[in-house]
Amino acid sequence: MRTTDGTIEDAPDGGYRIRFAQTYPTTVEDLWEAITDPVRLSRWMAPYEGDFRLGGHWLARYDDGSVFTEGTVTACDPPRTFSTTWHARDESETTITVVVEPDADGAALRLVHDGVGSRDYAPGWHTYLELLELDLAGDTEGIAAFDWDARYAGLRAHYRAHYRAG
């Protein structure tokens, strides 16, 4: 996988700020679609529904159909950037900002998740970005065979060791 480690830092308003910067061998338009189209998101992340335009409300579901997070798009300039609230069940509302830019190697994605209550969001995002990489490559078999729980557990141990978080 090409996905590189994210960073974890204290957020100014409390909690943590998780950052990822990745480059994918694709176009800005393809990357934008993969991260804002509910059908594409459902292939690599979770079943999503809703509207990813400015002011739009969206939600993501667990496999059993229950909602695990929802949000409202607070800024959007397609196909370059968007910000959204992220309100996971039983957690405080947080903010995600995504920027997509052309890069010599394809398209660059910068993701910042601000105010999360746990450093364990970093291995979660890392795991999802690996699945995004497979989706952008058209590797449906790789996505089907991907063991999210096992990969997350390995990355969680890695991030906890690196950031000395308990």
PDB file of all heavy atoms in Angstrom, residues 105-143:
ATOM      1  N   ASP A 105       2.189  13.268  -9.615  1.00  0.00           N
ATOM      2  CA  ASP A 105       1.934  11.823  -9.627  1.00  0.00           C
ATOM      3  C   ASP A 105       0.453  11.482  -9.679  1.00  0.00           C
ATOM      4  O   ASP A 105       0.076  10.331  -9.491  1.00  0.00           O
ATOM      5  CB  ASP A 105       2.574  11.178  -8.398  1.00  0.00           C
ATOM      6  CG  ASP A 105       4.083  11.252  -8.415  1.00  0.00           C
ATOM      7  OD1 ASP A 105       4.677  11.162  -9.514  1.00  0.00           O
ATOM      8  OD2 ASP A 105       4.680  11.428  -7.329  1.00  0.00           O
ATOM      9  N   GLY A 106      -0.411  12.473  -9.881  1.00  0.00           N
ATOM     10  CA  GLY A 106      -1.847  12.214  -9.957  1.00  0.00           C
ATOM     11  C   GLY A 106      -2.638  13.265  -9.216  1.00  0.00           C
ATOM     12  O   GLY A 106      -2.693  14.418  -9.618  1.00  0.00           O
ATOM     13  N   ALA A 107      -3.245  12.862  -8.103  1.00  0.00           N
ATOM     14  CA  ALA A 107      -4.068  13.759  -7.295  1.00  0.00           C
ATOM     15  C   ALA A 107      -3.701  13.594  -5.826  1.00  0.00           C
ATOM     16  O   ALA A 107      -3.559  12.471  -5.338  1.00  0.00           O
ATOM     17  CB  ALA A 107      -5.549  13.461  -7.507  1.00  0.00           C
ATOM     18  N   ALA A 108      -3.534  14.714  -5.149  1.00  0.00           N
ATOM     19  CA  ALA A 108      -3.173  14.705  -3.731  1.00  0.00           C
ATOM     20  C   ALA A 108      -4.414  14.955  -2.887  1.00  0.00           C
ATOM     21  O   ALA A 108      -5.266  15.769  -3.237  1.00  0.00           O
ATOM     22  CB  ALA A 108      -2.124  15.771  -3.450  1.00  0.00           C
ATOM     23  N   LEU A 109      -4.505  14.242  -1.784  1.00  0.00           N
ATOM     24  CA  LEU A 109      -5.597  14.381  -0.832  1.00  0.00           C
ATOM     25  C   LEU A 109      -4.999  14.787   0.506  1.00  0.00           C
ATOM     26  O   LEU A 109      -4.048  14.156   0.979  1.00  0.00           O
ATOM     27  CB  LEU A 109      -6.344  13.058  -0.677  1.00  0.00           C
ATOM     28  CG  LEU A 109      -7.401  13.054   0.422  1.00  0.00           C
ATOM     29  CD1 LEU A 109      -8.785  13.058  -0.214  1.00  0.00           C
ATOM     30  CD2 LEU A 109      -7.254  11.855   1.318  1.00  0.00           C
ATOM     31  N   ARG A 110      -5.536  15.845   1.088  1.00  0.00           N
ATOM     32  CA  ARG A 110      -5.182  16.225   2.455  1.00  0.00           C
ATOM     33  C   ARG A 110      -6.458  16.166   3.274  1.00  0.00           C
ATOM     34  O   ARG A 110      -7.456  16.783   2.911  1.00  0.00           O
ATOM     35  CB  ARG A 110      -4.577  17.619   2.507  1.00  0.00           C
ATOM     36  CG  ARG A 110      -3.143  17.644   1.983  1.00  0.00           C
ATOM     37  CD  ARG A 110      -2.508  19.003   2.089  1.00  0.00           C
ATOM     38  NE  ARG A 110      -3.102  19.853   1.067  1.00  0.00           N
ATOM     39  CZ  ARG A 110      -3.434  21.120   1.243  1.00  0.00           C
ATOM     40  NH1 ARG A 110      -3.245  21.718   2.390  1.00  0.00           N
ATOM     41  NH2 ARG A 110      -3.969  21.823   0.260  1.00  0.00           N
ATOM     42  N   LEU A 111      -6.413  15.391   4.344  1.00  0.00           N
ATOM     43  CA  LEU A 111      -7.560  15.207   5.224  1.00  0.00           C
ATOM     44  C   LEU A 111      -7.159  15.637   6.623  1.00  0.00           C
ATOM     45  O   LEU A 111      -6.113  15.224   7.126  1.00  0.00           O
ATOM     46  CB  LEU A 111      -7.981  13.738   5.227  1.00  0.00           C
ATOM     47  CG  LEU A 111      -9.183  13.372   6.092  1.00  0.00           C
ATOM     48  CD1 LEU A 111      -9.989  12.275   5.417  1.00  0.00           C
ATOM     49  CD2 LEU A 111      -8.797  12.950   7.485  1.00  0.00           C
ATOM     50  N   VAL A 112      -7.979  16.483   7.235  1.00  0.00           N
ATOM     51  CA  VAL A 112      -7.768  16.901   8.621  1.00  0.00           C
ATOM     52  C   VAL A 112      -9.068  16.644   9.376  1.00  0.00           C
ATOM     53  O   VAL A 112     -10.133  17.125   8.985  1.00  0.00           O
ATOM     54  CB  VAL A 112      -7.394  18.404   8.714  1.00  0.00           C
ATOM     55  CG1 VAL A 112      -7.242  18.819  10.172  1.00  0.00           C
ATOM     56  CG2 VAL A 112      -6.129  18.693   7.926  1.00  0.00           C
ATOM     57  N   HIS A 113      -8.966  15.861  10.437  1.00  0.00           N
ATOM     58  CA  HIS A 113     -10.124  15.589  11.296  1.00  0.00           C
ATOM     59  C   HIS A 113      -9.824  16.240  12.638  1.00  0.00           C
ATOM     60  O   HIS A 113      -8.922  15.809  13.354  1.00  0.00           O
ATOM     61  CB  HIS A 113     -10.348  14.079  11.436  1.00  0.00           C
ATOM     62  CG  HIS A 113     -11.697  13.744  11.976  1.00  0.00           C
ATOM     63  ND1 HIS A 113     -12.241  12.501  11.853  1.00  0.00           N
ATOM     64  CD2 HIS A 113     -12.623  14.477  12.651  1.00  0.00           C
ATOM     65  CE1 HIS A 113     -13.436  12.473  12.423  1.00  0.00           C
ATOM     66  NE2 HIS A 113     -13.677  13.667  12.916  1.00  0.00           N
ATOM     67  N   ASP A 114     -10.577  17.272  12.956  1.00  0.00           N
ATOM     68  CA  ASP A 114     -10.302  18.125  14.114  1.00  0.00           C
ATOM     69  C   ASP A 114     -11.244  17.861  15.270  1.00  0.00           C
ATOM     70  O   ASP A 114     -12.455  17.745  15.077  1.00  0.00           O
ATOM     71  CB  ASP A 114     -10.481  19.590  13.701  1.00  0.00           C
ATOM     72  CG  ASP A 114      -9.263  20.430  13.979  1.00  0.00           C
ATOM     73  OD1 ASP A 114      -8.417  20.027  14.780  1.00  0.00           O
ATOM     74  OD2 ASP A 114      -9.178  21.509  13.369  1.00  0.00           O
ATOM     75  N   GLY A 115     -10.674  17.771  16.467  1.00  0.00           N
ATOM     76  CA  GLY A 115     -11.466  17.691  17.678  1.00  0.00           C
ATOM     77  C   GLY A 115     -11.901  16.297  18.085  1.00  0.00           C
ATOM     78  O   GLY A 115     -12.756  16.166  18.955  1.00  0.00           O
ATOM     79  N   VAL A 116     -11.318  15.265  17.486  1.00  0.00           N
ATOM     80  CA  VAL A 116     -11.717  13.904  17.853  1.00  0.00           C
ATOM     81  C   VAL A 116     -11.284  13.600  19.284  1.00  0.00           C
ATOM     82  O   VAL A 116     -10.261  14.099  19.753  1.00  0.00           O
ATOM     83  CB  VAL A 116     -11.169  12.835  16.874  1.00  0.00           C
ATOM     84  CG1 VAL A 116     -11.751  13.023  15.493  1.00  0.00           C
ATOM     85  CG2 VAL A 116      -9.664  12.824  16.832  1.00  0.00           C
ATOM     86  N   GLY A 117     -12.056  12.798  19.965  1.00  0.00           N
ATOM     87  CA  GLY A 117     -11.795  12.498  21.361  1.00  0.00           C
ATOM     88  C   GLY A 117     -10.795  11.377  21.578  1.00  0.00           C
ATOM     89  O   GLY A 117     -10.371  11.147  22.704  1.00  0.00           O
ATOM     90  N   SER A 118     -10.419  10.688  20.514  1.00  0.00           N
ATOM     91  CA  SER A 118      -9.512   9.547  20.650  1.00  0.00           C
ATOM     92  C   SER A 118      -8.454   9.555  19.548  1.00  0.00           C
ATOM     93  O   SER A 118      -8.768   9.810  18.384  1.00  0.00           O
ATOM     94  CB  SER A 118     -10.299   8.241  20.576  1.00  0.00           C
ATOM     95  OG  SER A 118      -9.432   7.133  20.510  1.00  0.00           O
ATOM     96  N   ARG A 119      -7.244   9.232  19.932  1.00  0.00           N
ATOM     97  CA  ARG A 119      -6.166   9.087  18.949  1.00  0.00           C
ATOM     98  C   ARG A 119      -6.420   7.896  18.026  1.00  0.00           C
ATOM     99  O   ARG A 119      -5.818   7.783  16.976  1.00  0.00           O
ATOM    100  CB  ARG A 119      -4.833   8.902  19.659  1.00  0.00           C
ATOM    101  CG  ARG A 119      -4.407  10.111  20.445  1.00  0.00           C
ATOM    102  CD  ARG A 119      -3.149   9.825  21.241  1.00  0.00           C
ATOM    103  NE  ARG A 119      -2.819  10.987  22.043  1.00  0.00           N
ATOM    104  CZ  ARG A 119      -1.597  11.405  22.244  1.00  0.00           C
ATOM    105  NH1 ARG A 119      -0.582  10.753  21.738  1.00  0.00           N
ATOM    106  NH2 ARG A 119      -1.367  12.465  22.978  1.00  0.00           N
ATOM    107  N   ASP A 120      -7.316   7.011  18.425  1.00  0.00           N
ATOM    108  CA  ASP A 120      -7.602   5.814  17.632  1.00  0.00           C
ATOM    109  C   ASP A 120      -8.320   6.124  16.324  1.00  0.00           C
ATOM    110  O   ASP A 120      -8.533   5.230  15.504  1.00  0.00           O
ATOM    111  CB  ASP A 120      -8.403   4.800  18.452  1.00  0.00           C
ATOM    112  CG  ASP A 120      -7.552   4.155  19.537  1.00  0.00           C
ATOM    113  OD1 ASP A 120      -6.306   4.198  19.449  1.00  0.00           O
ATOM    114  OD2 ASP A 120      -8.138   3.607  20.485  1.00  0.00           O
ATOM    115  N   TYR A 121      -8.680   7.383  16.098  1.00  0.00           N
ATOM    116  CA  TYR A 121      -9.193   7.762  14.786  1.00  0.00           C
ATOM    117  C   TYR A 121      -8.095   7.656  13.727  1.00  0.00           C
ATOM    118  O   TYR A 121      -8.391   7.390  12.564  1.00  0.00           O
ATOM    119  CB  TYR A 121      -9.761   9.185  14.806  1.00  0.00           C
ATOM    120  CG  TYR A 121     -11.238   9.250  15.068  1.00  0.00           C
ATOM    121  CD1 TYR A 121     -11.746   9.296  16.352  1.00  0.00           C
ATOM    122  CD2 TYR A 121     -12.143   9.271  14.017  1.00  0.00           C
ATOM    123  CE1 TYR A 121     -13.107   9.360  16.593  1.00  0.00           C
ATOM    124  CE2 TYR A 121     -13.506   9.337  14.239  1.00  0.00           C
ATOM    125  CZ  TYR A 121     -13.975   9.380  15.525  1.00  0.00           C
ATOM    126  OH  TYR A 121     -15.331   9.438  15.752  1.00  0.00           O
ATOM    127  N   ALA A 122      -6.852   7.863  14.095  1.00  0.00           N
ATOM    128  CA  ALA A 122      -5.753   7.825  13.111  1.00  0.00           C
ATOM    129  C   ALA A 122      -5.639   6.455  12.439  1.00  0.00           C
ATOM    130  O   ALA A 122      -5.609   6.375  11.205  1.00  0.00           O
ATOM    131  CB  ALA A 122      -4.439   8.247  13.744  1.00  0.00           C
ATOM    132  N   PRO A 123      -5.571   5.354  13.186  1.00  0.00           N
ATOM    133  CA  PRO A 123      -5.516   4.070  12.491  1.00  0.00           C
ATOM    134  C   PRO A 123      -6.793   3.752  11.715  1.00  0.00           C
ATOM    135  O   PRO A 123      -6.750   3.063  10.695  1.00  0.00           O
ATOM    136  CB  PRO A 123      -5.259   3.051  13.600  1.00  0.00           C
ATOM    137  CG  PRO A 123      -5.634   3.728  14.867  1.00  0.00           C
ATOM    138  CD  PRO A 123      -5.417   5.195  14.640  1.00  0.00           C
ATOM    139  N   GLY A 124      -7.925   4.278  12.173  1.00  0.00           N
ATOM    140  CA  GLY A 124      -9.170   4.093  11.424  1.00  0.00           C
ATOM    141  C   GLY A 124      -9.104   4.783  10.075  1.00  0.00           C
ATOM    142  O   GLY A 124      -9.405   4.182   9.037  1.00  0.00           O
ATOM    143  N   TRP A 125      -8.706   6.066  10.067  1.00  0.00           N
ATOM    144  CA  TRP A 125      -8.579   6.775   8.794  1.00  0.00           C
ATOM    145  C   TRP A 125      -7.515   6.127   7.916  1.00  0.00           C
ATOM    146  O   TRP A 125      -7.696   5.998   6.709  1.00  0.00           O
ATOM    147  CB  TRP A 125      -8.260   8.254   9.028  1.00  0.00           C
ATOM    148  CG  TRP A 125      -9.474   9.061   9.304  1.00  0.00           C
ATOM    149  CD1 TRP A 125      -9.790   9.730  10.454  1.00  0.00           C
ATOM    150  CD2 TRP A 125     -10.577   9.279   8.415  1.00  0.00           C
ATOM    151  NE1 TRP A 125     -11.010  10.338  10.332  1.00  0.00           N
ATOM    152  CE2 TRP A 125     -11.520  10.090   9.086  1.00  0.00           C
ATOM    153  CE3 TRP A 125     -10.857   8.871   7.109  1.00  0.00           C
ATOM    154  CZ2 TRP A 125     -12.710  10.487   8.497  1.00  0.00           C
ATOM    155  CZ3 TRP A 125     -12.055   9.278   6.522  1.00  0.00           C
ATOM    156  CH2 TRP A 125     -12.967  10.065   7.218  1.00  0.00           C
ATOM    157  N   HIS A 126      -6.417   5.702   8.513  1.00  0.00           N
ATOM    158  CA  HIS A 126      -5.358   5.048   7.739  1.00  0.00           C
ATOM    159  C   HIS A 126      -5.917   3.811   7.029  1.00  0.00           C
ATOM    160  O   HIS A 126      -5.679   3.603   5.836  1.00  0.00           O
ATOM    161  CB  HIS A 126      -4.208   4.672   8.675  1.00  0.00           C
ATOM    162  CG  HIS A 126      -2.979   4.216   7.980  1.00  0.00           C
ATOM    163  ND1 HIS A 126      -1.741   4.688   8.299  1.00  0.00           N
ATOM    164  CD2 HIS A 126      -2.769   3.326   6.981  1.00  0.00           C
ATOM    165  CE1 HIS A 126      -0.829   4.114   7.528  1.00  0.00           C
ATOM    166  NE2 HIS A 126      -1.440   3.272   6.726  1.00  0.00           N
ATOM    167  N   THR A 127      -6.674   3.015   7.761  1.00  0.00           N
ATOM    168  CA  THR A 127      -7.268   1.802   7.194  1.00  0.00           C
ATOM    169  C   THR A 127      -8.212   2.156   6.052  1.00  0.00           C
ATOM    170  O   THR A 127      -8.162   1.551   4.967  1.00  0.00           O
ATOM    171  CB  THR A 127      -7.999   1.006   8.291  1.00  0.00           C
ATOM    172  OG1 THR A 127      -7.075   0.713   9.346  1.00  0.00           O
ATOM    173  CG2 THR A 127      -8.568  -0.292   7.750  1.00  0.00           C
ATOM    174  N   TYR A 128      -9.066   3.152   6.264  1.00  0.00           N
ATOM    175  CA  TYR A 128      -9.983   3.557   5.196  1.00  0.00           C
ATOM    176  C   TYR A 128      -9.243   4.113   3.979  1.00  0.00           C
ATOM    177  O   TYR A 128      -9.638   3.851   2.840  1.00  0.00           O
ATOM    178  CB  TYR A 128     -11.001   4.580   5.709  1.00  0.00           C
ATOM    179  CG  TYR A 128     -12.109   3.957   6.508  1.00  0.00           C
ATOM    180  CD1 TYR A 128     -12.393   4.401   7.790  1.00  0.00           C
ATOM    181  CD2 TYR A 128     -12.888   2.925   5.988  1.00  0.00           C
ATOM    182  CE1 TYR A 128     -13.410   3.832   8.537  1.00  0.00           C
ATOM    183  CE2 TYR A 128     -13.909   2.354   6.720  1.00  0.00           C
ATOM    184  CZ  TYR A 128     -14.169   2.811   7.995  1.00  0.00           C
ATOM    185  OH  TYR A 128     -15.183   2.235   8.720  1.00  0.00           O
ATOM    186  N   LEU A 129      -8.166   4.851   4.191  1.00  0.00           N
ATOM    187  CA  LEU A 129      -7.425   5.393   3.055  1.00  0.00           C
ATOM    188  C   LEU A 129      -6.731   4.291   2.255  1.00  0.00           C
ATOM    189  O   LEU A 129      -6.544   4.428   1.045  1.00  0.00           O
ATOM    190  CB  LEU A 129      -6.440   6.463   3.516  1.00  0.00           C
ATOM    191  CG  LEU A 129      -7.099   7.738   4.051  1.00  0.00           C
ATOM    192  CD1 LEU A 129      -6.043   8.689   4.607  1.00  0.00           C
ATOM    193  CD2 LEU A 129      -7.958   8.413   3.002  1.00  0.00           C
ATOM    194  N   GLU A 130      -6.373   3.204   2.900  1.00  0.00           N
ATOM    195  CA  GLU A 130      -5.858   2.047   2.151  1.00  0.00           C
ATOM    196  C   GLU A 130      -6.959   1.465   1.272  1.00  0.00           C
ATOM    197  O   GLU A 130      -6.711   1.081   0.122  1.00  0.00           O
ATOM    198  CB  GLU A 130      -5.296   0.992   3.096  1.00  0.00           C
ATOM    199  CG  GLU A 130      -3.978   1.411   3.718  1.00  0.00           C
ATOM    200  CD  GLU A 130      -3.361   0.347   4.603  1.00  0.00           C
ATOM    201  OE1 GLU A 130      -3.978  -0.732   4.814  1.00  0.00           O
ATOM    202  OE2 GLU A 130      -2.245   0.597   5.104  1.00  0.00           O
ATOM    203  N   LEU A 131      -8.164   1.408   1.784  1.00  0.00           N
ATOM    204  CA  LEU A 131      -9.290   0.926   0.979  1.00  0.00           C
ATOM    205  C   LEU A 131      -9.608   1.898  -0.158  1.00  0.00           C
ATOM    206  O   LEU A 131      -9.933   1.473  -1.271  1.00  0.00           O
ATOM    207  CB  LEU A 131     -10.519   0.700   1.855  1.00  0.00           C
ATOM    208  CG  LEU A 131     -10.472  -0.580   2.678  1.00  0.00           C
ATOM    209  CD1 LEU A 131     -11.441  -0.523   3.848  1.00  0.00           C
ATOM    210  CD2 LEU A 131     -10.744  -1.782   1.802  1.00  0.00           C
ATOM    211  N   LEU A 132      -9.500   3.193   0.095  1.00  0.00           N
ATOM    212  CA  LEU A 132      -9.673   4.185  -0.964  1.00  0.00           C
ATOM    213  C   LEU A 132      -8.659   3.945  -2.075  1.00  0.00           C
ATOM    214  O   LEU A 132      -8.998   3.995  -3.262  1.00  0.00           O
ATOM    215  CB  LEU A 132      -9.527   5.602  -0.414  1.00  0.00           C
ATOM    216  CG  LEU A 132      -9.469   6.738  -1.441  1.00  0.00           C
ATOM    217  CD1 LEU A 132     -10.720   6.785  -2.305  1.00  0.00           C
ATOM    218  CD2 LEU A 132      -9.230   8.067  -0.734  1.00  0.00           C
ATOM    219  N   GLU A 133      -7.435   3.664  -1.702  1.00  0.00           N
ATOM    220  CA  GLU A 133      -6.390   3.366  -2.683  1.00  0.00           C
ATOM    221  C   GLU A 133      -6.792   2.187  -3.568  1.00  0.00           C
ATOM    222  O   GLU A 133      -6.637   2.231  -4.791  1.00  0.00           O
ATOM    223  CB  GLU A 133      -5.082   3.067  -1.944  1.00  0.00           C
ATOM    224  CG  GLU A 133      -3.916   2.755  -2.833  1.00  0.00           C
ATOM    225  CD  GLU A 133      -2.668   2.430  -2.029  1.00  0.00           C
ATOM    226  OE1 GLU A 133      -2.560   2.831  -0.856  1.00  0.00           O
ATOM    227  OE2 GLU A 133      -1.789   1.752  -2.593  1.00  0.00           O
ATOM    228  N   LEU A 134      -7.324   1.145  -2.960  1.00  0.00           N
ATOM    229  CA  LEU A 134      -7.780  -0.020  -3.730  1.00  0.00           C
ATOM    230  C   LEU A 134      -8.937   0.351  -4.653  1.00  0.00           C
ATOM    231  O   LEU A 134      -8.990  -0.085  -5.806  1.00  0.00           O
ATOM    232  CB  LEU A 134      -8.196  -1.152  -2.789  1.00  0.00           C
ATOM    233  CG  LEU A 134      -7.079  -1.798  -1.969  1.00  0.00           C
ATOM    234  CD1 LEU A 134      -7.662  -2.770  -0.942  1.00  0.00           C
ATOM    235  CD2 LEU A 134      -6.075  -2.502  -2.869  1.00  0.00           C
ATOM    236  N   ASP A 135      -9.873   1.168  -4.158  1.00  0.00           N
ATOM    237  CA  ASP A 135     -11.000   1.593  -4.983  1.00  0.00           C
ATOM    238  C   ASP A 135     -10.524   2.394  -6.186  1.00  0.00           C
ATOM    239  O   ASP A 135     -10.979   2.166  -7.309  1.00  0.00           O
ATOM    240  CB  ASP A 135     -11.997   2.419  -4.169  1.00  0.00           C
ATOM    241  CG  ASP A 135     -13.164   2.886  -5.020  1.00  0.00           C
ATOM    242  OD1 ASP A 135     -13.981   2.030  -5.412  1.00  0.00           O
ATOM    243  OD2 ASP A 135     -13.246   4.092  -5.306  1.00  0.00           O
ATOM    244  N   LEU A 136      -9.611   3.319  -5.966  1.00  0.00           N
ATOM    245  CA  LEU A 136      -9.102   4.142  -7.068  1.00  0.00           C
ATOM    246  C   LEU A 136      -8.377   3.305  -8.109  1.00  0.00           C
ATOM    247  O   LEU A 136      -8.353   3.648  -9.288  1.00  0.00           O
ATOM    248  CB  LEU A 136      -8.189   5.245  -6.532  1.00  0.00           C
ATOM    249  CG  LEU A 136      -8.910   6.332  -5.727  1.00  0.00           C
ATOM    250  CD1 LEU A 136      -7.904   7.190  -4.976  1.00  0.00           C
ATOM    251  CD2 LEU A 136      -9.807   7.179  -6.622  1.00  0.00           C
ATOM    252  N   ALA A 137      -7.801   2.174  -7.677  1.00  0.00           N
ATOM    253  CA  ALA A 137      -7.117   1.268  -8.591  1.00  0.00           C
ATOM    254  C   ALA A 137      -8.087   0.291  -9.262  1.00  0.00           C
ATOM    255  O   ALA A 137      -7.680  -0.510 -10.109  1.00  0.00           O
ATOM    256  CB  ALA A 137      -6.031   0.491  -7.844  1.00  0.00           C
ATOM    257  N   GLY A 138      -9.368   0.340  -8.863  1.00  0.00           N
ATOM    258  CA  GLY A 138     -10.354  -0.577  -9.432  1.00  0.00           C
ATOM    259  C   GLY A 138     -10.206  -2.001  -8.920  1.00  0.00           C
ATOM    260  O   GLY A 138     -10.679  -2.948  -9.559  1.00  0.00           O
ATOM    261  N   ASP A 139      -9.578  -2.170  -7.757  1.00  0.00           N
ATOM    262  CA  ASP A 139      -9.296  -3.500  -7.203  1.00  0.00           C
ATOM    263  C   ASP A 139     -10.455  -3.960  -6.306  1.00  0.00           C
ATOM    264  O   ASP A 139     -10.345  -3.968  -5.087  1.00  0.00           O
ATOM    265  CB  ASP A 139      -7.980  -3.457  -6.432  1.00  0.00           C
ATOM    266  CG  ASP A 139      -7.514  -4.826  -5.977  1.00  0.00           C
ATOM    267  OD1 ASP A 139      -8.269  -5.820  -6.132  1.00  0.00           O
ATOM    268  OD2 ASP A 139      -6.384  -4.904  -5.450  1.00  0.00           O
ATOM    269  N   THR A 140     -11.557  -4.362  -6.929  1.00  0.00           N
ATOM    270  CA  THR A 140     -12.721  -4.805  -6.156  1.00  0.00           C
ATOM    271  C   THR A 140     -12.438  -6.096  -5.384  1.00  0.00           C
ATOM    272  O   THR A 140     -12.958  -6.281  -4.289  1.00  0.00           O
ATOM    273  CB  THR A 140     -13.952  -4.988  -7.061  1.00  0.00           C
ATOM    274  OG1 THR A 140     -13.608  -5.881  -8.121  1.00  0.00           O
ATOM    275  CG2 THR A 140     -14.409  -3.660  -7.645  1.00  0.00           C
ATOM    276  N   GLU A 141     -11.590  -6.968  -5.953  1.00  0.00           N
ATOM    277  CA  GLU A 141     -11.234  -8.200  -5.231  1.00  0.00           C
ATOM    278  C   GLU A 141     -10.417  -7.877  -3.985  1.00  0.00           C
ATOM    279  O   GLU A 141     -10.601  -8.500  -2.945  1.00  0.00           O
ATOM    280  CB  GLU A 141     -10.462  -9.143  -6.149  1.00  0.00           C
ATOM    281  CG  GLU A 141     -11.323  -9.755  -7.237  1.00  0.00           C
ATOM    282  CD  GLU A 141     -10.537 -10.681  -8.158  1.00  0.00           C
ATOM    283  OE1 GLU A 141      -9.379 -11.032  -7.842  1.00  0.00           O
ATOM    284  OE2 GLU A 141     -11.100 -11.039  -9.197  1.00  0.00           O
ATOM    285  N   GLY A 142      -9.518  -6.916  -4.104  1.00  0.00           N
ATOM    286  CA  GLY A 142      -8.727  -6.498  -2.947  1.00  0.00           C
ATOM    287  C   GLY A 142      -9.596  -5.920  -1.850  1.00  0.00           C
ATOM    288  O   GLY A 142      -9.376  -6.185  -0.662  1.00  0.00           O
ATOM    289  N   ILE A 143     -10.603  -5.141  -2.238  1.00  0.00           N
ATOM    290  CA  ILE A 143     -11.530  -4.580  -1.252  1.00  0.00           C
ATOM    291  C   ILE A 143     -12.322  -5.700  -0.586  1.00  0.00           C
ATOM    292  O   ILE A 143     -12.473  -5.731   0.635  1.00  0.00           O
ATOM    293  CB  ILE A 143     -12.475  -3.543  -1.904  1.00  0.00           C
ATOM    294  CG1 ILE A 143     -11.678  -2.300  -2.326  1.00  0.00           C
ATOM    295  CG2 ILE A 143     -13.608  -3.167  -0.952  1.00  0.00           C
ATOM    296  CD1 ILE A 143     -12.461  -1.324  -3.174  1.00  0.00           C
TER     297      ILE A 143
END
